[in-house]
Amino acid sequence: MAVRHQYENSNDIGVFANLTNSYCLTAIGGSENFYSVFQNELAQDIPVVKTSIAGTRLVGRMTVGNKNGLLLPNSVTDQEALHIRNSLPDDVIVQRIDERLSALGNCIACNDYVALIHPDLDEETEEIIADVLGVEVFRQTVAGQILVGSYCKFSNQGGVVHPQTSIQDLDELSSLLQVPLVAGTVNRGSDVVSAGLIVNDWAAFCGLDTTSTELQVIENIFKLKGANTSAMVTNMRASLVDALV
């Protein structure tokens, strides 16, 4: 199920949090309510870690990761890196990258198998991404935008890309990623999809301004409805039977 959420009056929760199938990173300094929403949805399955990156709250834009690993910019402090390493599962590799384009979340989009990267990233960075995240790496643009991490968001189930992506590009990206894609928006028409949406294989969080139509598109393409809906129907039937008996 997709949940609407915001951080300190900002609907860009993808800027302040990073979600994968193994862990969730969130920015420090938010209200307790901000964390409790993540805790309620995720804590049974994965750790929810409060941290800063290079002293900033821009956790979602400065880091990128999947179930296999997490990449941090070179500007991250030793204390932050140690805290993150100690908080994540042992099988997740945490690695710093010495890369000129240090907002890694804007330059890289990935799931557990494939990564799309900014065309100008270093070759060394490309190799580290492949090794640490265990993915196939493709240099790509999305709707002519080089910040692939900002303009698309995909999991192992599906993905949302910039609304002006052509049908041809959509097909090409879909065959690269091997998941169904849809061109869409979040936060009432924002094309910076990744800033307003974080997602893994069973949960999604998007900005509070996201319309019900956008929410429906997100739930359908990421296949978030099925399991929850059937469980809900089963529970409703059970309670109806109890009431009748």
Side-chain angles (χ1 to χ4, degrees):
M1 185 180 161
V3 179
R4 289 189 182 103
H5 199 21
Q6 70 178 164
Y7 179 88
E8 303 286 309
N9 292 331
S10 170
N11 291 304
D12 293 332
I13 63 159
V15 172
F16 303 104
N18 188 358
L19 174 62
T20 73
N21 289 329
S22 298
Y23 53 87
C24 176
L25 299 182
T26 66
I28 55 173
S31 65
E32 204 48 50
N33 180 47
F34 178 70
Y35 305 115
S36 64
V37 171
F38 289 118
Q39 290 283 359
N40 292 342
E41 293 288 327
L42 304 170
Q44 290 177 335
D45 305 301
I46 57 175
V48 178
V49 183
K50 298 180 190 178
T51 185
S52 59
I53 299 292
T56 73
R57 300 178 181 186
L58 310 177
V59 173
R61 299 300 83 207
M62 301 294 279
T63 66
V64 67
N66 62 11
K67 71 171 185 185
N68 304 314
L70 175 68
L71 300 175
L72 304 173
N74 205 35
S75 52
V76 70
T77 66
D78 294 342
Q79 195 177 356
E80 289 164 345
L82 193 64
H83 166 60
I84 291 169
R85 271 202 186 95
N86 292 340
S87 306
L88 298 189
D90 293 338
D91 56 347
V92 175
I93 304 164
V94 179
Q95 172 84 39
R96 276 185 189 171
I97 286 193
D98 188 9
E99 167 60 54
R100 182 176 53 88
L101 303 167
S102 61
L104 302 175
N106 287 338
C107 300
I108 305 163
C110 69
N111 61 12
D112 294 338
Y113 305 103
V114 187
L116 303 181
I117 67 169
H118 190 296
D120 298 336
L121 284 182
D122 292 344
E123 298 235 339
E124 191 184 333
T125 302
E126 185 179 340
E127 286 171 21
I128 294 171
I129 293 166
D131 289 345
V132 174
L133 302 184
V135 292
E136 267 191 281
V137 181
F138 299 100
R139 291 179 186 267
Q140 197 69 34
T141 60
V142 174
Q145 305 283 350
I146 53 177
L147 292 176
V148 287
S150 301
Y151 292 101
C152 73
K153 193 74 186 170
F154 54 93
S155 69
N156 300 328
Q157 309 291 334
V160 180
V161 298
H162 190 289
Q164 289 173 359
T165 308
S166 67
I167 302 288
Q168 188 182 348
D169 282 358
L170 210 56
D171 289 344
E172 185 187 333
L173 288 169
S174 189
S175 64
L176 275 182
L177 304 174
Q178 295 292 300
V179 295
L181 294 178
V182 66
T185 58
V186 292
N187 286 334
R188 207 178 300 250
S190 167
D191 55 11
V192 190
V193 178
S194 193
L197 171 68
I198 55 173
V199 65
N200 66 12
D201 285 354
W202 69 88
F205 300 87
C206 47
L208 211 58
D209 273 354
T210 303
T211 65
S212 56
T213 310
E214 289 169 339
L215 209 61
Q216 201 170 3
V217 168
I218 288 163
E219 287 187 338
N220 288 340
I221 198 68
F222 289 115
K223 300 182 175 63
L224 299 172
K225 274 187 163 172
N228 289 356
T229 313
S230 58
M232 215 183 298
V233 169
T234 310
N235 290 340
M236 283 167 69
R237 278 186 186 145
S239 59
L240 273 171
V241 170
D242 288 346
L244 289 168
V245 171

